[in-house]
Amino acid sequence: MLRARSNEAKDERRQALLGAALDEFFEKGFAATRMDDIARRAGLSKGTLYLYFGSKEALFQGLIETLATPNLKIVETITSQSTSLKDALARIRQFAPFLVRQTDLPRLMKVLIGDSHLFPEVVRAYREDLIDRVLSMITSLLQRAHDTGEAIIDTPALTARLLMAPMIFSAIWQAVFNQKSEADIDLDELFRIHEQMMLRALQIGSAS
């Protein structure tokens, strides 16, 4: 096979390899997937695969970066540019169903959970590059709301986990139980209910 010469062609090959890797990881698990299988699924040679990624761990790290970066930017925009915590909660409620339904992050989470005990460095990378960064952004948002008197939030770091919990649960549900929409749930209504519960729990507008 001819070597990709343009940056566009190289990017297309890289994305094809990442897509094939995610499919293989999701179907077989991280441990059972072979580099040969990924290359074959992508329609490329094993040698080409190693030109782009030197190991399965490097492929998984590439998936984290590719899938997480655009969504991290959205969360950063929400947490930094919202006019208030109430506004931010509404924007998170609108974004959450898209994240669960329209991105591959739920499938990536399922792979991670399945083999987390075998590859602690992969787990650490996922936590540091995605989960910790999101929690840090949400924590800062909550702390600002508390400092300005918009809400009563004694423990912003733990409250950030409560705020994100339905999103994590829904992503796992989507990847494990709802692969063929046989166990679908109304995500828009779910996150609307959660938004209303958070508004009441945080006493938005009631802080002195």
Side-chain angles (χ1 to χ4, degrees):
M1 180 174 290
L2 293 176
R3 177 171 296 184
R5 297 186 180 279
S6 69
N7 289 334
E8 182 178 355
K10 290 179 181 178
D11 186 62
E12 287 178 357
R13 286 192 173 183
R14 186 175 188 276
Q15 293 305 316
L17 289 166
L18 288 172
L22 181 57
D23 288 341
E24 289 289 326
F25 292 156
F26 185 75
E27 293 175 9
K28 300 176 182 177
F30 186 86
T33 294
R34 302 181 308 162
M35 294 290 272
D36 285 344
D37 298 329
I38 296 171
R40 187 179 303 108
R41 188 162 197 149
L44 298 169
S45 69
K46 187 176 179 180
T48 298
L49 170 57
Y50 276 106
L51 286 174
Y52 289 84
F53 301 99
S55 65
K56 287 196 296 183
E57 288 79 6
L59 271 163
F60 198 89
Q61 183 64 38
L63 283 168
I64 293 174
E65 294 169 358
T66 300
L67 296 176
T69 297
N71 294 300
L72 282 170
K73 289 180 179 178
I74 293 173
V75 174
E76 183 178 18
T77 297
I78 290 173
T79 56
S80 64
Q81 298 184 12
S82 294
T83 57
S84 64
L85 177 56
K86 184 176 182 179
D87 177 41
L89 290 175
R91 296 172 73 176
I92 290 171
R93 181 252 303 161
Q94 295 166 353
F95 172 59
F98 165 82
L99 186 72
V100 175
R101 292 193 190 113
Q102 304 298 326
T103 77
D104 281 319
L105 281 174
R107 295 207 299 158
L108 194 66
M109 288 178 60
K110 189 255 188 183
V111 175
L112 189 73
I113 292 169
D115 283 337
S116 61
H117 61 296
L118 297 175
F119 301 96
E121 289 303 309
V122 173
V123 176
R124 182 186 58 79
Y126 186 90
R127 175 178 59 79
E128 292 180 351
D129 293 345
L130 180 60
I131 302 298
D132 285 354
R133 292 173 67 183
V134 170
L135 287 173
S136 177
M137 293 177 194
I138 299 296
T139 299
S140 296
L141 170 71
L142 296 172
Q143 185 66 59
R144 289 196 303 272
H146 180 77
D147 292 343
T148 60
E150 182 188 358
I152 299 175
I153 310 171
D154 295 328
T155 52
L158 293 179
T159 304
R161 293 174 181 267
L162 290 174
L163 180 58
M164 298 304 297
M167 195 177 301
I168 302 298
F169 172 80
S170 297
I172 294 172
W173 182 275
Q174 182 76 9
V176 176
F177 301 114
N178 196 39
Q179 297 178 35
K180 298 180 180 179
S181 299
E182 69 273 21
D184 207 6
I185 58 174
D186 187 342
L187 291 175
D188 296 286
E189 181 65 8
L190 172 67
F191 288 111
R192 187 196 69 78
I193 294 170
H194 180 59
E195 177 192 11
Q196 294 303 311
M197 292 176 65
M198 294 300 297
L199 288 171
R200 289 193 294 269
L202 300 178
Q203 303 180 56
I204 303 297
S206 299
S208 58

